[in-house]
Amino acid sequence: MEKILIDAFKVKQPIGTFFCGVIDAAKLKEITYSDIRRLEKSEGRELDDFIGIQRPLSETRRKSIEKYIKGPEATFPNSVIISINENNVDWDEEEKKLIIKYESESKKRKIAKILDGQHRVSGFNEENLTFFDDNDQETNFGLLVTIFVEADLSTQANIFATVNLAQTKVNRSLVYDLESLARSRSPEKTCHDIAVLLNKEKGPFYRRIKRLGVATKGVKNELLTQASFVQNILKLMTHDATADRNYYLGKEKGGEKSRLYKLEKTSYDDAYKYPFRASFLNSKDSVIASNINNFFSAVEKLWPNAWSKENKNSSLNKTIGFIALARILKRIMQQFFTVDGIDDSKIYDEEEFLEILDGGVLDEADFENLDATSKSTRMIYNMILENLLLDEDEE
């Protein structure tokens, strides 16, 4: 009989007794499986049966978690919840050890059913089961685990439903706001800092951005969430904010971590594709902030009523308009680069942006009463794009 020993403690709650402990991710991955909820045809019955309790595994989410695990600050402080048959478990009360046992390698894979945490477990592979700690020692990735022994299917389903229904999705604006506390440089931190700066300074974004994604007491008509601002400016700065963040964080930590992460997308073509990238990579955040401010100042000057916070009928001053304008900003910056070359220190003034924006075709009324949908975002973008005074050779 093969065995895995886990340091654990016993917990008693109304649902029953269970165990909490620590196990290496590699070992947990070896003994667990997910019971996906699906339809199964029953013999002699008119109705199909639903079996299993888990949601289908999302490949997109799995890849995202796999990438996250490789980061220098990966953490899973919440436990993976599993259920094990009592025949596969012994409890050593004196040593406080939970003993997971199995007869053979062939039966090892089906010992523990995952009740919560299937995506976390699926994100581990041969490349991320270990990491280098602060002493540059290769260390196994440990996971907290909650183990229910001989829980019936009804109890398993209740645990899954309770855990997942009780979860509240974290406000993305709050997540970006917390980037201000980060020790190292990152695209999200830069975009957050710019959002805060522009929101408090007199200009096109003055008291217009909802910090933390909720209305500020005493401030009216904050039409743009911090998350919307950050997410759309990020697209002008980076292809992968997480990869950039990992690079700067690894560099700050030093040692082996500083060699694990490389800075990507640093060519001329990348600087053209992401117009704020060169400035970001050279720590010239004030240049980025100034160009954003001057562009939107030109928008406000050209279409003052449509950009006004007080205009409830306008779509230009809302999220769909901002998304379209961020894309237009990218287009104009690329036009500048085509003519002048890429200069990470160059600040274009309001009049330079206005000269390209003002094609003399659009009327402010064209931005009114559009539905708040992605289709309207494309419509606004195309309307403004057709109004731009670009070089004839430009598309």
Side-chain angles (χ1 to χ4, degrees):
M1 186 74 71
E2 301 292 331
K3 297 179 181 179
I4 298 174
L5 273 62
I6 300 176
D7 292 322
F9 54 89
K10 186 185 293 186
V11 181
K12 293 184 178 181
Q13 293 181 0
I15 198 171
T17 300
F18 55 90
F19 300 90
C20 294
V22 179
I23 186 173
D24 291 343
K27 291 181 180 178
L28 183 63
K29 194 169 179 69
E30 289 175 354
I31 66 171
T32 53
Y33 70 98
S34 295
D35 192 12
I36 306 300
R37 190 154 179 76
R38 62 201 183 277
L39 277 170
E40 185 175 81
K41 201 76 171 180
S42 298
E43 291 291 335
R45 295 182 61 180
E46 294 182 0
L47 299 177
D48 292 331
D49 288 333
F50 280 99
I51 63 174
I53 62 171
Q54 281 281 5
R55 294 163 292 189
L57 190 71
S58 166
E59 184 64 13
T60 299
R61 190 175 176 194
R62 183 198 68 76
K63 288 181 178 179
S64 176
I65 292 175
E66 178 183 327
K67 182 178 179 181
Y68 168 74
I69 294 171
K70 296 177 182 179
E73 285 193 325
T75 180
F76 295 116
N78 296 329
S79 65
V80 174
I81 305 175
I82 61 176
S83 175
I84 301 182
N85 188 290
E86 63 180 353
N87 295 328
N88 293 109
V89 175
D90 285 329
W91 170 242
D92 188 331
E93 182 70 40
E94 184 175 343
E95 297 294 329
K96 303 300 179 187
K97 298 281 188 181
L98 191 69
I99 304 166
I100 300 175
K101 54 189 181 179
Y102 52 96
E103 295 179 358
S104 63
E105 287 293 324
S106 62
K107 295 184 177 182
K108 186 177 183 180
R109 188 68 180 85
K110 286 284 188 177
I111 293 176
K113 181 193 293 185
I114 299 176
L115 305 185
D116 185 69
Q118 65 165 343
H119 285 94
R120 276 170 280 169
V121 176
S122 69
F124 284 93
N125 57 38
E126 293 299 324
E127 296 179 358
N128 59 17
L129 292 170
T130 63
F131 65 97
F132 288 95
D133 63 19
D134 291 339
N135 296 316
D136 275 351
Q137 299 297 313
E138 189 170 9
T139 306
N140 292 328
F141 200 121
L143 291 173
L144 296 175
V145 63
T146 297
I147 302 171
F148 286 84
V149 179
E150 203 63 20
D152 59 32
L153 191 59
S154 175
T155 300
Q156 294 175 29
N158 180 53
I159 293 168
F160 172 82
T162 300
V163 169
N164 286 280
L165 287 176
Q167 290 179 352
T168 302
K169 191 173 182 179
V170 177
N171 187 314
R172 290 301 301 176
S173 290
L174 172 60
V175 173
Y176 289 132
D177 202 74
L178 293 175
E179 283 293 332
S180 64
L181 304 177
R183 294 173 297 171
S184 65
R185 184 166 176 73
S186 74
E188 293 101 330
K189 181 178 173 65
T190 291
C191 289
H192 159 76
D193 291 344
I194 291 173
V196 172
L197 173 67
L198 297 183
N199 193 53
K200 69 180 182 180
E201 298 289 339
K202 289 291 185 179
F205 289 102
Y206 178 62
R207 306 187 82 177
R208 185 181 289 259
I209 301 174
K210 293 179 186 176
R211 293 287 302 280
L212 310 184
V214 295
T216 305
K217 187 176 181 179
V219 179
K220 294 182 179 180
N221 300 328
E222 293 173 306
L223 302 177
L224 190 64
T225 65
Q226 185 173 344
S228 295
F229 182 94
V230 171
Q231 288 169 345
N232 286 281
I233 298 302
L234 278 175
K235 295 175 182 178
L236 280 67
M237 188 181 299
T238 181
H239 75 296
D240 189 334
T242 300
D244 286 345
R245 182 178 185 274
N246 287 345
Y247 167 77
Y248 287 107
L249 186 57
K251 188 176 180 181
E252 179 176 304
K253 285 178 172 290
E256 187 62 31
K257 288 184 174 67
S258 68
R259 295 184 285 273
L260 286 175
Y261 307 101
K262 305 297 181 183
L263 194 59
E264 303 172 351
K265 302 292 184 181
T266 59
S267 70
Y268 182 95
D269 289 342
D270 296 317
Y272 182 86
K273 185 174 183 180
Y274 307 98
F276 293 148
R277 185 147 186 81
S279 297
F280 170 75
L281 294 180
N282 290 295
S283 301
K284 297 180 179 179
D285 296 354
S286 61
V287 173
I288 300 172
S290 295
N291 280 317
I292 294 172
N293 182 74
N294 292 346
F295 168 76
F296 281 93
S297 292
V299 170
E300 184 176 38
K301 186 172 183 179
L302 182 60
W303 301 301
N305 185 54
W307 184 251
S308 171
K309 289 173 54 176
E310 311 305 322
N311 188 343
K312 296 182 179 180
N313 293 324
S314 176
S315 299
L316 191 69
N317 58 12
K318 300 180 177 64
T319 299
I320 58 172
F322 176 78
I323 295 172
L325 286 166
R327 292 177 59 196
I328 291 295
L329 172 57
K330 175 179 179 178
R331 187 68 185 80
I332 293 178
M333 290 296 296
Q334 289 175 334
Q335 164 71 9
F336 288 149
F337 291 167
T338 299
V339 176
D340 303 330
I342 295 172
D343 183 348
D344 58 24
S345 300
K346 175 70 173 177
I347 297 175
Y348 296 92
D349 60 37
E350 177 186 311
E351 290 303 318
E352 289 177 285
F353 283 112
L354 192 59
E355 186 178 341
I356 295 180
L357 275 171
D358 190 8
V361 176
L362 276 179
D363 185 270
E364 291 191 293
D366 295 331
F367 299 118
E368 294 189 357
N369 300 318
L370 299 177
D371 294 331
T373 64
S374 58
K375 182 178 180 180
S376 295
T377 296
R378 290 192 299 272
M379 186 183 303
I380 295 171
Y381 171 77
N382 289 330
M383 286 163 54
I384 299 176
L385 182 64
E386 292 174 4
N387 192 63
L388 297 183
L389 293 176
L390 298 172
D391 288 349
E392 292 183 0
D393 291 336
E394 292 295 312
E395 294 180 0

